[in-house]
Every structure is written in structure tokens, then in C-alpha cells.
């Protein structure tokens, strides 16, 4: 494009250097904001006409022209130009080519600074709406498996050492709660995102009598932002979203890691469905958990996106600075990555076959009911610390003699404490251990069944 026609050509005598133009341009990635840019321009021009700042005819021409451009973009016939730098100037340039002077009036009382902030907030609000559906589907998938296979008993772990038996449903519901908080962080972030910067203009506001409430409402924002400098300068909404995404990725990565470990031959607690697993190009026997591994690995990208946004914003003087153009790729990447991982797990989790025999067998040789023996003695009046010591000796003896707790006779128990009575033999079973844990939030089947019902209700009330 010759400098005479460029947006700021009036001030310049030399054309932009080709390398500078390429480095400066953001259109390759910000064209993704086209729908929000068009919606914002339609709202802005309609408001300008309502306020008597442009004519109704001009507003109508702008509206029609923008709808035509939307169609061209969606049909793939729109000619994007790097020389036109970004999505905003590409669209405005095409509009003016289509409708002449009316198009050139669109930018009255507006700047790219408030335009891009508006577009990005709007994009993120819509993105969060989609993500919330994805998280709902993931939570529903966890509940489906909790209902289908949740009665399976497996060892719960601490330090990845067998600790106490739990219901599989209890384990799955733990993730349901993590994703519930991730969801509420997204909802919370959306509410702060839903304030419109449009009408902040370049930084100081504008002498035109804009109706900012009108454009905010037309675009689905809750209200206009209070301060014009803040409106164009901050990207805390992008940081906040990416931080929420990073936390969600932490949760996904923990589930991913468990799927990798649980599907190993050493554990064999689950088998990932063939449609969600991959083979090896050299080892014919292999079935690899690539999707959980990828989810685990992709968490790193999102943490990187967060650091990138924090660093871009840090120490940045008010108001707009070109550094802010760097916000988009990190935000898009975090959003895309989270969405992909949420969707992948919503589909993969129900496609896992649960091996409840292996889970149950893993409870048999790890002394997972040792705490129940200590609790038993405490119930018979032995101080818990003493009981803990007694059971420690008992476990040591079993290890030495190759015995398990369930195999011991009453007489053998009584060698360690005369508080043991006949009912100890029942108390050490895995099933009674699980059933005994009736404390609120515990793994007893009565608790877990109620927890599933309550979780279902939360999902259906949305
Ligand atoms: N492409 C720019 C960005 O993404 C749009 C805003 C440009 N504003 C400016 N004054 N150069 O940040």
C-alpha cells in the first residue's frame, strides 16, 4: 500500500519498510477477532447514528457493508493484507472500498486502542461461554463413570504408597470438585471481563457525545468501564483467564498422570479405549496413553502463556503501548489448549475400561486397613498413639512372616493386645474399612451415593 493511502499517511513522507511492516503486523493472528470486530463496529455505528453524530443512512450502509465483509471472511474470499497491519484496519479499509465516505466515518469517536480492547474482551467472554459447556461435559463424564464403575474399591494413595481403601467414585468425585472450582473461576473472570472499554477512544475519552451504556448493552457487556485510561491500558482480564486456565491445567495434568500410571502394566487399573490410544511404530505390543501424556505436557504451554502475559504487562506505563499486541497469541493459545484438553478428557474418560478386580486385588497386600485396626483399638479404649504403635508392630510381624491382616486369627491379634476381640476379624476387611468412613466428605458408599446425587443436581441446575 502506498504511504499516501496508509491510515497515518498524512504525517509520513516515506513508505513503511517492508520488514517493519511485517514485524508490526498482527493480522496473521488477530484476524481471529473478526466477528467481534464487526459486531463492535455495528454497535458503535448504530450508537453514533442514534446520537446524531452520523446519519442513519451512513449507519445503514456501514451495517450492510460490515455484514458483507463478514460473509466474505467466512466464505474465504476476503483479501487479508499484512500491509494493513491488523484485523481492524483490514476490515475498515475494505468497508471504505465498499461504501466510500460512510465507511470512513465509522472511526468517529473511536480508536484502535478501545477497539482492540473491546474485541478481545468480547472474544474472551464468548470463549468462556464455550469453555463452560466443555467443563460441564467433562464433569458429566466423571459422574457417568462414577455411576457406572464407581463401586470398585481401590487403594487410595499418599506418597504413591497404598494408604487406605476408597471407592473409585470417591476418587472421580475429587476431580469433579476441582473442575467445579475451575468453572467458578472462569465464571468469576467472565464477570470482570464483561465491562466495555468502547468509547474510551485513544486514552482520554472523546468530545463526541457517545452513549457508552448503549454500545455496552448492545454487545452483551454488563456496563461500560469507568475510566478511559484503564479501559485501553489493562489486560488483567487476559491474565486472570490464563491464570484460571493454568490452574485447570494443573488439575487436568494430575488426572492425566493418574491415567498414565493406572494404564501401565504395573497397575492395570484401567485400559484406555483403542480409539483414544496409539501404538508404537516398532514395538507391536505397545498401547500408549498419548492423549493423557499430551494433556500432561500441554499444561506447560499454558503456564508459559501466563508468565508471558504477566511479563508483557509488568511495568508497562499507561496507557496503550504496542507491547500489548503480544497479548493475543498467549491468550488464544491458553484458551485453545485448555479447550482441547477439556474436550479430550470429556471423551476419553468414559472410553476407559475399569479393571475393578485389579483395583480390589491391590487392596489385599498393602496393609491398607492398618488404620482400621488402630481405630478399632482406639474404640476399645486404647489411646490412639498406643494403638498406632501396637499396629505398627503387628504390621512388622506380618511382613516378617509373609502374612496379611485379614489372614490373622484372633489369637494372633491378641498376641499384640488383649483389647482385640472377635469382631476384629470383620473390622480389617477392605469392605468394612470403606463402609466405616461415614464422616462428611468420606468414602463410605452411603456418602458417595449422596455425593453423586448432589453433584448431578448441581449439573442439572445450570
Ligand atoms: N494491532 C494492535 C494490537 O493488537 C491494535 C491496536 C493498535 N493501536 C495502536 N495505537 N497502534 O494491539
Amino acid at each position: 500500500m502506498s504511504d499516501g493511502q496508509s491510515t497515518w499517511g498524512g504525517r509520513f513522507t516515506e513508505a513503511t519498510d517492508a520488514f517493519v511492516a511485517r514485524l508490526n503486523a498482527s493480522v496473521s493472528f488477530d484476524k481471529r477477532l473478526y466477528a467481534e470486530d464487526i459486531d463492535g463496529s455495528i454497535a458503535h455505528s448504530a450508537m453514533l447514528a442514534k446520537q446524531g453524530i452520523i446519519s442513519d443512512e451512513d449507519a445503514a450502509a456501514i451495517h450492510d457493508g460490515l455484514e458483507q465483509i463478514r460473509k466474505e471472511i467466512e466464505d474465504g474470499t476476503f483479501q487479508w493484507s499484512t500491509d494493513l497491519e491488523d484485523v481492524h484496519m483490514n476490515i475498515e479499509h475494505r468497508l471504505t472500498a465498499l461504501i466510500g465516505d460512510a465507511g470512513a466515518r465509522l472511526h468517529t469517536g473511536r480508536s484502535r486502542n478501545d477497539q482492540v480492547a473491546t474485541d478481545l474482551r468480547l472474544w474472551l467472554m464468548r470463549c468462556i461461554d464455550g469453555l463452560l459447556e466443555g467443563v460441564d461435559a467433562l464433569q458429566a463424564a466423571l459422574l457417568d463413570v462414577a455411576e457406572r464403575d464407581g463401586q470398585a474399591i481401590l487403594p487410595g494413595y499418599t506418597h504413591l504408597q497404598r494408604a487406605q481403601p476408597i471407592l473409585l467414585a470417591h476418587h472421580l468425585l475429587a476431580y469433579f470438585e476441582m473442575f467445579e472450582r475451575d468453572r467458578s473461576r472462569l465464571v468469576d473472570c467472565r464477570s470482570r471481563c464483561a465491562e466495555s472499554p468502547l468509547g474510551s477512544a485513544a486514552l482520554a475519552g472523546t468530545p463526541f457525545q457517545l452513549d457508552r451504556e448503549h454500545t455496552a448493552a448492545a454487545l452483551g457487556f454488563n456496563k461500560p468501564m469507568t475510566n478511559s485510561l484503564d479501559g485501553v491500558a489493562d489486560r488483567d482480564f487476559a491474565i486472570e483467564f490464563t491464570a484460571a486456565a493454568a490452574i485447570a491445567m494443573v488439575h487436568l495434568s494430575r488426572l492425566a498422570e493418574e491415567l498414565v500410571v493406572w494404564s501401565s502394566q504395573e497397575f492395570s487399573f484401567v485400559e484406555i479405549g483403542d480409539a483414544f490410544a496409539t501404538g508404537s511404530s516398532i514395538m507391536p505390543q505397545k498401547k500408549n496413553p498419548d492423549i493423557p501424556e499430551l494433556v500432561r505436557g500441554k499444561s506447560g504451554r499454558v503456564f508459559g502463556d501466563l508468565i508471558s502475559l504477566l511479563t508483557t504487562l509488568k511495568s508497562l506505563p499507561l496507557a496503550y503501548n504496542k507491547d500489548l499486541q503480544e497479548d493475543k497469541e498467549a491468550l488464544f493459545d491458553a484458551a485453545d489448549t485448555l479447550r482441547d484438553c477439556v474436550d479430550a478428557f470429556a471423551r476419553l474418560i468414559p472410553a476407559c475400561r475399569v479393571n475393578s478386580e485389579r483395583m480390589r486385588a491391590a487392596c489385599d497386600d498393602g496393609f491398607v486397613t492398618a488404620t482400621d485396626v488402630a481405630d478399632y483399638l482406639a474404640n476399645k479404649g486404647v489411646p490412639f498413639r498406643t494403638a498406632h504403635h501396637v499396629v505398627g508392630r503387628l504390621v512388622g510381624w506380618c511382613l516378617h512372616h509373609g502374612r496379611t491382616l485379614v489372614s490373622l486369627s484372633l489369637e494372633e491379634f491378641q498376641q499384640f493386645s488383649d483389647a482385640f476381640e472377635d469382631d476384629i476379624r470383620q473390622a480389617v476387611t477392605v469392605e468394612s474399612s470403606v463402609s466405616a468412613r461415614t464422616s462428611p466428605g468420606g468414602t463410605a458408599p452411603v456418602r458417595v451415593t449422596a455425593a453423586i446425587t448432589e453433584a448431578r443436581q448441581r449439573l442439572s441446575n445450570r
Side-chain angles (χ1 to χ4, degrees):
M1 184 178 201
S2 87
D3 62 297
Q5 291 168 325
S6 82
T7 307
W8 45 80
R11 158 87 169 70
F12 287 68
T13 53
E14 271 181 72
T16 312
D17 175 90
F19 173 77
V20 169
R22 188 178 64 70
L23 190 63
N24 206 37
S26 53
V27 65
S28 62
F29 50 87
D30 68 15
K31 63 181 167 197
R32 186 164 177 178
L33 298 172
Y34 81 88
E36 289 73 26
D37 198 68
I38 288 172
D39 293 344
S41 292
I42 289 173
H44 180 67
S45 55
M47 181 275 295
L48 290 178
K50 181 181 86 70
Q51 297 298 93
I53 299 167
I54 63 170
S55 69
D56 288 343
E57 295 72 42
D58 282 349
I62 289 170
H63 190 138
D64 292 349
L66 287 169
E67 288 303 347
Q68 178 177 333
I69 291 170
R70 191 197 306 271
K71 195 167 179 317
E72 289 173 3
I73 294 172
E74 286 170 4
D75 291 348
T77 58
F78 189 87
Q79 294 293 311
W80 295 102
S81 156
T82 305
D83 286 347
L84 288 166
E85 197 177 320
D86 57 25
V87 62
H88 323 292
M89 295 208 290
N90 268 268
I91 291 178
E92 192 187 320
H93 185 261
R94 175 69 182 142
L95 182 69
T96 306
L98 284 173
I99 65 169
D101 272 355
R105 291 202 174 92
L106 168 63
H107 216 50
T108 314
R110 185 178 79 171
S111 147
R112 272 190 299 157
N113 298 348
D114 57 342
Q115 192 178 358
V116 69
T118 303
D119 291 3
L120 203 56
R121 282 177 177 265
L122 203 51
W123 181 88
L124 185 56
M125 285 154 63
R126 293 171 180 178
C127 161
I128 290 175
D129 291 340
L131 254 169
L132 292 176
E133 286 175 22
V135 175
D136 288 351
L138 174 57
Q139 289 183 296
L142 288 165
L143 287 186
D144 289 346
V145 180
E147 277 169 352
R148 190 186 72 196
D149 301 313
Q151 66 296 344
I153 297 177
L154 74 157
Y157 293 82
T158 62
H159 313 269
L160 203 56
Q161 308 286 322
R162 290 170 186 166
Q164 293 176 344
I166 53 170
L167 289 184
L168 175 62
H170 197 54
H171 197 99
L172 296 171
L173 285 170
Y175 283 106
F176 183 95
E177 294 302 327
M178 294 177 224
F179 295 133
E180 183 79 7
R181 289 191 296 278
D182 291 332
R183 188 182 195 286
S184 79
R185 267 184 283 273
L186 292 174
V187 170
D188 208 32
C189 165
R190 191 192 188 285
S191 74
R192 274 182 289 277
C193 189
E195 295 186 10
S196 170
L198 196 57
S200 300
L203 73 162
T206 159
F208 292 102
Q209 290 307 298
L210 306 183
D211 184 346
R212 296 190 56 211
E213 300 276 350
H214 190 269
T215 45
L219 290 168
F221 289 104
N222 295 336
K223 58 174 185 163
M225 289 182 76
T226 303
N227 181 289
S228 62
L229 281 173
D230 179 40
V232 292
D234 210 352
R235 295 292 185 270
D236 56 355
F237 63 94
I239 296 177
E240 190 175 352
F241 170 81
T242 309
I247 298 174
M249 288 302 300
V250 168
H251 292 149
L252 286 162
S253 76
R254 298 183 76 168
L255 182 52
E257 169 72 2
E258 295 199 321
L259 286 168
V260 171
V261 171
W262 285 10
S263 63
S264 70
Q265 272 134 10
E266 284 69 16
F267 272 75
S268 296
F269 282 2
V270 295
E271 185 180 343
I272 295 172
D274 283 359
F276 291 90
T278 44
S280 157
S281 57
I282 174 167
M283 297 167 282
Q285 86 283 12
K286 291 291 294 287
K287 180 163 171 182
N288 295 328
D290 286 38
I291 298 303
E293 290 172 280
L294 272 173
V295 169
R296 189 175 61 182
K298 281 176 186 289
S299 56
R301 297 172 66 119
V302 179
F303 306 163
D305 294 330
L306 174 59
I307 294 298
S308 163
L309 282 169
L310 286 167
T311 312
T312 297
L313 268 290
K314 181 187 173 295
S315 312
L316 206 60
L318 303 190
Y320 179 85
N321 300 269
K322 188 76 170 192
D323 314 44
L324 292 177
Q325 184 162 286
E326 292 293 312
D327 59 4
K328 285 163 215 63
E329 286 163 294
L331 179 66
F332 292 159
D333 185 68
D336 291 345
T337 305
L338 178 59
R339 184 66 206 255
D340 281 350
C341 294
V342 163
D343 289 355
F345 271 9
R347 299 179 60 211
L348 176 138
I349 286 162
C352 286
R353 201 182 65 76
V354 171
N355 190 338
S356 37
E357 294 79 45
R358 281 286 299 205
M359 289 181 173
R360 181 63 185 76
C363 295
D364 278 338
D365 52 358
F367 300 95
V368 292
T369 59
T371 315
D372 298 84
V373 183
D375 289 346
Y376 173 96
L377 289 175
N379 262 321
K380 300 275 176 184
V382 180
F384 184 80
R385 277 288 152 237
T386 312
H388 184 285
H389 186 74
V390 168
V391 182
R393 281 179 44 235
L394 181 63
V395 168
W397 184 89
C398 286
L399 284 170
H400 189 71
H401 294 89
R403 302 286 299 277
T404 61
L405 291 174
V406 281
S407 76
L408 298 182
S409 67
L410 176 58
E411 293 67 38
E412 285 169 323
F413 274 114
Q414 284 172 337
Q415 283 171 20
F416 294 87
S417 165
D418 47 20
F420 284 118
E421 294 173 42
D422 203 34
D423 52 352
I424 181 59
R425 310 248 310 119
Q426 172 61 26
V428 291
T429 67
V430 165
E431 283 68 23
S432 43
S433 168
V434 171
S435 299
R437 288 188 159 61
T438 52
S439 55
T443 194
V446 282
R447 285 290 181 189
V448 172
T449 305
I452 292 176
T453 308
E454 188 276 326
R456 275 271 177 233
Q457 251 152 28
R458 259 187 274 167
L459 270 189
S460 62
N461 288 343
R462 276 171 194 162

